[in-house]
Amino acid sequence: MKNDTWGRVKQQLLESVGRNNYANWIEPLDLKKVDNGVAVFSVPTSFMANWVSRNFSETILSHLKAANASASRVEFTVEPHQSRGAAAPASVPVQTQKASPAPKVKEAAPEMPDLPAADLPGAPLDPRFTFDNFVVGKPNELAHAAARRVAEGGPVTFNPLFLYGGVGLGKTHLMHAIAHEIRQRDPELRVLYLSAEQFMYRFVQALRDRQMIDFKQIFRSVDVLMVDDVQFIAGKDSTQEEFFHTFNALVDQNKQIIISADRAPGEIVGLEDRIKSRLQCGLVVDLHPTDYELRLGILQTKADSYRGQYPDLKFADGVLEFLAHRISTNVRVLEGALMRLFAFASLVGREIDLDLTQECLADILKASERKVTVEEIQRKVSEHYAIRLSDMIGPKRVRSIARPRQVAMYLAKHMTTRSLPEIGRRFGGRDHTTVMHGVKRIEELKGTDSQIADDLEMLRRLLEA
Ligand code: ADP
Ligand code: MG
């Protein structure tokens, strides 16, 4: 067979296997000879030889036959890449494929004997990050449902699954949970989980060591690829480029991809447009900031599991509710607080009450205080009582205005770190004694006037939201 015949066959292969498969698996093939009906190709690695042999030899053969090449079998020999340190190219014949007269139906994804799943260059999975340990609430129910669906396997319905949300909302937890579940269901499947940072690190290392072929092969032969915190590769051009090709190659093979980021694909600055649009092609779901109910649910679940370790420890009523109320939306911070509380309580050996909680977690509580400004308080209070903002800080003394003004002063005193004189200045230059009087008045009314108490509660919630 002449070389231009192989050139023509390659053209046809490009059409039948697609551009990505072609670039990864067909292009590197070198036709050595056709001898006694055996077409012998050299390939750079045995990994590749196996893969091509299992996945493409029938296609290659049928195209060769169609081009009247007298081949009835294809064979692949390994000729290591020169840069990989082999002194002389050693030829090792690997698996061959018999010609079969009628095309058989191939299995979708043959396993790769060369590289057991355990050897994939992924990151270790946290054994605690399972679906069982994931508390579901309104803010994360969609993300959870999508993750469950992907973990069930079956035909790939959305690709990629793109999970996004702020820090500590459970993205990594859900990804590990998917990986655990898939591995448990089918240990043969090659599931690769890693952070985008690790992806870049491997890529740079492969470039440096001139092992790009291996790199590509490994990443393009997985069944499930999970890349965490993909925003990391924004602005890193060659890593993005490689990620894009890996991504496309896997999508072409109908392999599931799961990506996470701290924001929606379209909002990642420095990410190429073609990648953004690829990422948007599947299912994009976000994890919303936790709400009070979800935080309480998580705290209760964690507290129950700690009780196993510290059976004597008791929580006073209201402690978990207090934490759920006061600590920010980041679940990691919430967990840290609870862990510290348990450790502290086991040292001092007494029931965890509100005082102990506040003492032990003072720094965390302070850090998660939302910074409410006096101006915000004035605005919200004016809206609530339907008065003008200018009246709130103006000189009018009628009760319909003076009372809301006192409410605002009270909230400013309790929700900000401003001193009384500072608050006075923000209320049209009033004296600090006026502010003090207003705060006192509301404190009294709170106990006797349920309307005022309700207003305060509602405004506080509004301002903290
Ligand atoms: P992200 O990757 O979004 O920054 P993680 O998945 O690392 O967040 O979650 C931070 C911590 O909070 C982990 O310890 C995780 O187990 C926990 N966590 C987050 N969401 C939940 C949840 N819904 N139920 C239980 N634990 C959660
Ligand atoms: Mg994470």
Side-chain angles (χ1 to χ4, degrees):
M1 180 175 56
K2 293 201 203 89
N3 248 340
D4 57 344
T5 312
W6 173 233
R8 269 208 317 282
V9 170
K10 271 170 113 176
Q11 267 308 306
Q12 289 156 0
L13 282 166
L14 170 61
E15 276 162 38
S16 77
V17 302
R19 203 156 37 84
N20 283 309
N21 277 325
Y22 178 85
N24 292 323
W25 310 112
I26 307 297
E27 180 78 270
L29 297 179
D30 195 6
L31 178 66
K32 305 279 289 180
K33 57 181 177 187
V34 181
D35 206 3
N36 261 339
V38 183
V40 182
F41 294 91
S42 78
V43 289
T45 65
S46 66
F47 179 88
M48 187 162 181
N50 272 311
W51 184 262
V52 176
S53 162
R54 282 165 175 253
N55 290 281
F56 298 107
S57 51
E58 302 221 351
T59 318
I60 294 172
L61 196 59
S62 68
H63 281 287
L64 284 175
K65 283 183 176 166
N68 286 325
S70 53
S72 57
R73 216 145 66 85
V74 288
E75 208 174 276
F76 302 92
T77 66
V78 180
E79 294 191 356
H81 208 263
Q82 279 154 357
S83 63
R84 297 173 77 236
S91 270
V92 194
V94 287
Q95 273 172 294
T96 56
Q97 185 97 15
K98 288 242 164 58
S100 45
K104 330 181 269 217
V105 180
K106 281 191 78 70
E107 299 121 24
E111 83 230 53
M112 300 303 303
D114 283 15
L115 198 69
D119 290 349
L120 286 173
L125 299 178
D126 189 321
R128 294 164 308 164
F129 289 1
T130 59
F131 281 121
D132 282 348
N133 291 338
F134 192 82
V135 181
V136 184
K138 262 230 137 28
N140 61 21
E141 65 180 345
L142 262 180
H144 171 260
R148 281 270 192 198
R149 163 66 73 78
V150 166
E152 275 167 18
V156 175
T157 42
F158 33 77
N159 216 3
L161 169 60
F162 188 98
L163 298 170
Y164 76 93
V167 177
L169 298 184
K171 301 181 294 293
T172 299
H173 189 133
L174 278 180
M175 289 179 99
H176 286 210
I178 295 171
H180 284 307
E181 183 103 355
I182 295 179
R183 283 189 183 167
Q184 197 168 14
R185 219 193 42 247
D186 187 352
E188 299 283 294
L189 279 182
R190 299 160 54 78
V191 180
L192 180 53
Y193 166 87
L194 81 176
S195 66
E197 187 176 1
Q198 286 162 328
F199 180 86
M200 183 180 94
Y201 174 73
R202 306 252 171 238
F203 170 66
V204 171
Q205 200 176 36
L207 279 179
R208 192 193 59 208
D209 299 344
R210 305 204 193 171
Q211 301 204 325
M212 273 315 291
I213 293 179
D214 287 349
F215 177 90
K216 284 177 194 285
Q217 281 166 9
I218 287 167
F219 277 92
R220 285 157 209 213
S221 64
V222 300
D223 295 300
V224 180
L225 176 68
M226 305 188 174
V227 181
D228 206 348
D229 290 317
V230 81
Q231 74 276 356
F232 183 85
I233 62 166
K236 314 216 160 69
D237 292 345
S238 43
T239 303
Q240 280 192 45
E241 174 88 20
E242 186 54 36
F243 174 76
F244 182 68
H245 293 310
T246 305
F247 187 98
N248 288 340
L250 290 173
V251 168
D252 282 355
Q253 295 175 56
N254 223 10
K255 305 295 191 192
Q256 182 71 56
I257 298 174
I258 302 147
I259 307 281
S260 86
D262 64 353
R263 65 200 73 182
E267 286 162 16
I268 305 178
V269 179
L271 195 66
E272 281 180 44
D273 286 342
R274 56 180 186 164
I275 298 185
K276 284 183 191 169
S277 69
R278 268 298 205 163
L279 291 175
Q280 281 157 341
C281 281
L283 180 66
V284 178
V285 276
D286 58 339
L287 289 130
H288 294 276
T290 58
D291 58 13
Y292 173 79
E293 286 79 10
L294 178 56
R295 286 197 293 274
L296 188 59
I298 291 171
L299 285 166
Q300 280 163 344
T301 311
K302 306 264 175 202
D304 282 346
S305 70
Y306 280 127
R307 281 196 192 101
Q309 294 169 41
Y310 305 96
D312 300 333
L313 284 187
K314 285 206 195 75
F315 277 118
D317 284 346
V319 167
L320 294 183
E321 287 79 0
F322 172 78
L323 290 180
H325 184 61
R326 286 288 299 279
I327 294 189
S328 76
T329 67
N330 182 332
V331 181
R332 197 173 295 130
V333 175
L334 205 60
E335 284 181 338
L338 194 63
M339 202 188 300
R340 185 188 316 167
L341 208 51
F342 266 101
F344 190 65
S346 71
L347 281 179
V348 300
R350 59 185 161 103
E351 188 194 53
I352 302 171
D353 60 13
L354 268 178
D355 283 343
L356 184 64
T357 303
Q358 273 171 314
E359 184 187 329
C360 169
L361 301 178
D363 56 332
I364 298 179
L365 291 170
K366 191 153 177 53
S368 24
E369 256 166 33
R370 208 173 85 67
K371 307 284 177 287
V372 181
T373 64
V374 177
E375 288 70 24
E376 256 177 290
I377 292 173
Q378 291 171 333
R379 201 166 346 105
K380 280 278 183 303
V381 175
S382 308
E383 278 167 21
H384 181 74
Y385 291 105
I387 63 168
R388 285 202 198 90
L389 189 57
S390 55
D391 283 342
M392 163 79 61
I393 51 183
K396 286 188 191 161
R397 295 166 134 224
V398 286
R399 176 170 302 172
S400 61
I401 289 176
R403 186 71 82 227
R405 187 185 294 133
Q406 289 174 331
V407 165
M409 287 173 173
Y410 170 91
L411 290 170
K413 174 73 184 74
H414 285 90
M415 298 187 75
T416 74
T417 52
R418 298 286 175 202
S419 66
L420 294 178
E422 282 173 325
I423 295 172
R425 270 200 293 284
R426 287 174 169 73
F427 279 85
R430 286 178 160 80
D431 192 71
H432 79 276
T433 52
T434 312
V435 179
M436 197 157 63
H437 171 76
V439 173
K440 274 222 183 89
R441 185 78 192 108
I442 298 301
E443 258 155 19
E444 287 159 17
L445 285 173
K446 208 170 70 152
T448 57
D449 183 338
S450 66
Q451 180 62 53
I452 289 276
D454 287 352
D455 287 353
L456 287 174
E457 174 63 21
M458 172 162 162
L459 284 162
R460 194 187 263 284
R461 272 172 184 270
L462 271 176
L463 287 160
E464 276 172 353

